[in-house]
């Protein structure tokens, strides 16, 4: 069984910014600690609505399929976020920002649909439900800091998952996607802090070795869990 | 054994490598309990631990890492020289290039440290001519030319790492290579945007860079899936996936800038 550890703060590798307030984070960690540590489940809240389309839980599965479903889940999260960003743009969104965000939205949608097609019947079924209630879509700062956090998280997720893949073909596909996520992260970071070192900042690229972050699935899902309503079972993923 | 490199490697190896090293716990115990008195023995402990982390199939891993080292040498030399060229980089853009240069230097040191720990002889630093024998003779005085080459090197770097990832399946070195690969992509995106381009690659558009840098970037088939068939434009389908380059393709791109190996 995949042991779920409470996400630890690695010195010098801060968590992505803009995810959650310290209070919320603490609450989330307790939740994981009490409810999910033994089961390897990611419980980020129960959906009260009947949710015909939304499954009550999804199991990512095992092996390469599990890792691809994990990527599929993360791409669904990113795609749903950017769809909302474009559907309800923050006030006075400059044209060039809108173009950039629309293009990123389309890339994430393409990634999502690619995984769905590639996985076929092995894809996690139904619509995973997301909870974006902590994001203020009318605020440029809220939207862009969330985008930054998602993109940095996505980069770290692919970087950490690559070694778990057995198929060279899937590894290559993951490599083709992760560099695009890194391009997004760089652009979003530059929108927030133009023409500074932030695009590849010391908060994500360790200055002493020039390495970007890499996270294992359990750590990524613990962070992403804030935004995922559907219960995600990931204890069969390779580790 | 180069002690400073090993020490550098200690600080710099990512935690995930330790995660996958069976003697992770003993390594940390040794490091934390050894104390100052035993400092002389630490490099040996770490050397062997790194070797078990990176050493599996070390002939091919070493080959890939030496390939990466050559590219990092090229990038490192390029930015160091660019930052020294008076009047080349505008004052309000220097922070960007200092950051990139810092990373390329760190990549060189990191790769040297890993190769050393694997007892693989690193390739020597080539001699570079970034004018490519006069083809880019204003590279140190014309910012636009410098940016064009910067973009070419960064996008080539991204594609080069991607092209050899498959040789590292399941290896600890794969994670490190991916962690460098995504940094090159961050750089590439920024440089492209400095040139008023998109941070991502559309089709095989070159925007003034050598066409070989973007050869094959226009594919829309990913595995068995035709991404345009999913309802996406060719532009979006090609932007959403970066493509690899083979070592031969990379050599053809980098070759004109290498005077002597």
């Amino acid at each position: 069984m995949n042991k779920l550890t409470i996400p630890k703060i690695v010195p010098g590798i801060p968590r992505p910014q803009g995810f959650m307030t310290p209070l919320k984070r603490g609450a989330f960690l307790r939740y994981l600690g009490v409810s999910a540590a033994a089961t390897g489940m990611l419980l980020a809240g129960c959906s009260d609505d009947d949710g015909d389309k939304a499954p009550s839980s999804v199991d990512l599965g095992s092996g390469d399929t599990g890792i691809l479903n994990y990527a599929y889940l993360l791409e669904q999260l990113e795609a749903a976020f950017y769809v909302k960003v474009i559907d309800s743009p923050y006030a006075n969104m400059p044209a060039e920002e809108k173009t950039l965000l629309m293009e990123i939205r389309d890339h994430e949608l393409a990634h999502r649909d690619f995984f769905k097609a590639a996985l076929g019947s092995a894809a996690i079924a139904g619509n995973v439900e997301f909870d974006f209630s902590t994001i203020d879509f009318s605020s440029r700062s809220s939207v862009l800091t969330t985008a930054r956090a998602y993109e940095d998280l996505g980069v770290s997720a692919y970087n950490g998952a690559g070694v778990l893949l057995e198929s060279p073909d899937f590894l290559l596909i993951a490599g083709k996607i992760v560099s695009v996520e890194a391009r997004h992260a760089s652009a979003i970071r530059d929108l927030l802090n133009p023409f500074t070192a932030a695009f590849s900042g010391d908060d994500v690229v360790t200055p002493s070795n020039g390495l970007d972050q890499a996270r294992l699935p359990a750590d990524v899902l613990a962070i992403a869990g804030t935004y995922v309503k559907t219960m995600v079972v990931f204890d069969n993923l390779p580790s | 054994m180069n002690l400073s490199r090993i020490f550098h490697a200690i600080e710099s190896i990512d935690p995930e490598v330790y995660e996958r090293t069976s003697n992770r716990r003993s390594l940390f115990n040794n490091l934390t309990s050894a104390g100052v008195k035993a400092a002389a023995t630490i490099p040996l402990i770490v050397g062997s631990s790194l070797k078990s982390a990176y050493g599996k199939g070390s002939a091919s891993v070493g080959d890939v890492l030496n390939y990466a080292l050559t590219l990092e040498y090229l990038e490192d030399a390029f930015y160091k020289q660019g930052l020294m060229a008076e009047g080349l980089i505008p004052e309000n853009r220097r922070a960007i290039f200092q950051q990139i240069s810092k990373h390329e230097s760190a990549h060189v040191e990191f790769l040297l440290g890993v190769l050393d720990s694997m007892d693989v002889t690193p390739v020597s630093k080539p001699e570079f001519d970034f004018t490519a024998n006069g083809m880019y003779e204003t590279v140190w005085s014309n910012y636009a030319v410098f940016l064009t080459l910067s973009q070419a090197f960064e996008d080539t770097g991204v594609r080069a790492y991607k092209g050899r990832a498959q040789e590292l399946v399941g290896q600890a070195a794969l994670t490190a290579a991916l962690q460098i690969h995504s940094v090159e992509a961050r750089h590439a995106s920024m440089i492209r945007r400095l040139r008023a381009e998109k941070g991502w690659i559309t089709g095989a558009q070159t925007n003034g860079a050598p066409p070989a840098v973007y050869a094959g970037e226009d594919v829309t088939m990913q595995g068995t899936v035709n991404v345009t068939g999913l309802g996406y434009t060719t532009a979006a389908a090609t932007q959403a996936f970066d493509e690899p380059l083979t070592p031969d393709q990379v050599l053809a791109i980098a070759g004109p800038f290498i005077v002597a190996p």
Side-chain angles (χ1 to χ4, degrees), chain A residues 103 107 111 113 176 209-210, chain B residues 12 107 198 232 239-240 243:
Chain A
E103 288 181 355
H107 302 162
H111 292 162
D113 292 349
K176 290 176 176 211
N209 57 23
Chain B
S12 59
H107 293 163
K198 299 178 190 306
Y232 296 94
Q239 289 167 1
E243 301 302 321

Side-chain angles (χ1 to χ4, degrees), chain A residues 103 107 109 111 113-114 152 159 163 168 171 175-176 179-180 182-183 186 190 200 202 208-210 212 214, chain B residues 8 12 16 99 102-103 107 155 162 166 171 179 182 186 189 193 198-200 222 232 239-240 242-243:
Chain A
E103 288 181 355
H107 302 162
L109 286 167
H111 292 162
D113 292 349
F114 162 78
D152 286 337
N159 281 351
V163 77
L171 173 60
K176 290 176 176 211
S179 55
V180 174
R183 291 174 189 275
S186 172
D190 188 61
S200 197
D202 291 356
S208 62
N209 57 23
D212 215 321
Chain B
H8 193 77
S12 59
E16 266 70 28
Q99 187 75 354
K102 181 171 84 178
H103 293 159
H107 293 163
D155 277 333
K162 212 186 310 293
Q166 292 180 309
Q171 308 270 357
Q179 287 175 286
S182 61
R186 288 177 188 269
S189 176
R193 296 181 67 252
K198 299 178 190 306
W200 23 94
Q222 298 301 338
Y232 296 94
Q239 289 167 1
D242 280 342
E243 301 302 321

